[in-house]
Structure formats: structure tokens, C-alpha cells
Amino acid sequence: MRYVQLRAFHYVAICGGFSRAAKELFLTQPAISDQVRKLEEDYDILLFNRHKKQVEITPAGEKLLEITRRLFDSEDQARDY
């Protein structure tokens, strides 16, 4: 599990889409999609249901989002310290 994959997943989940996440992270949409796809493939799990231009987080994605929220909140706290 790579940091860049978790970050990409986290931003897609909180932004509600791959394009919006890419914009927030100053990356391309294909780069974000690739990182999330690799994360899903590495762990054989579906994190988002993809419907044309919409994404819906899966129950497994919701669980991972809880973890990444804590991770990135802790990272923000450490940075602010």
C-alpha cells in the first residue's frame, strides 16, 4: 500500500470524483485513476462503483476512508506542530 495510492483514494472519496480529486492535487485525472486502480488491484477490492461520470464509494471504501481520514488528520497535526 503506497502513500500516493491512499492519497489519491482519499481525495476521490472526499471530492466525489476523479477529476475533482485531480484538480485538488494538481495532477491529471488519469494519474489519479491509475493510483486508485492499482490500489484496488493490489488488494483485490472495489473501493468505488463507477457509473459513467459519477463514482459511489463502496462499503469497503467507506471503511478505508475512515482510516485515511485519521491518517491525514494526524499528518496535518504533525505538520502544524
Side-chain angles (χ1 to χ4, degrees):
M1 190 170 296
R2 300 182 188 276
Y3 177 85
V4 294
Q5 293 171 338
L6 291 175
R7 188 168 168 87
F9 159 79
H10 182 78
Y11 273 83
V12 172
I14 64 171
C15 293
F18 289 86
S19 295
R20 287 183 224 133
K23 186 175 180 179
E24 284 290 317
L25 293 171
F26 302 100
L27 296 169
T28 64
Q29 181 272 325
I32 296 294
S33 295
D34 190 48
Q35 291 302 325
V36 173
R37 181 185 51 77
K38 286 178 182 175
L39 181 61
E40 290 176 321
E41 286 177 359
D42 289 349
Y43 293 91
D44 193 29
I45 194 163
L46 184 65
L47 299 170
F48 297 102
N49 289 314
R50 294 149 174 92
H51 307 284
K52 296 192 180 187
K53 294 203 175 214
Q54 293 183 327
V55 295
E56 179 182 287
I57 195 164
T58 64
E62 287 284 356
K63 289 179 184 178
L64 183 57
L65 180 59
E66 291 175 23
I67 295 165
T68 60
R69 280 189 198 279
R70 290 192 305 268
L71 172 69
F72 293 116
D73 285 348
S74 295
E75 182 180 63
D76 289 343
Q77 289 174 5
R79 188 180 309 113
D80 293 343
Y81 181 69

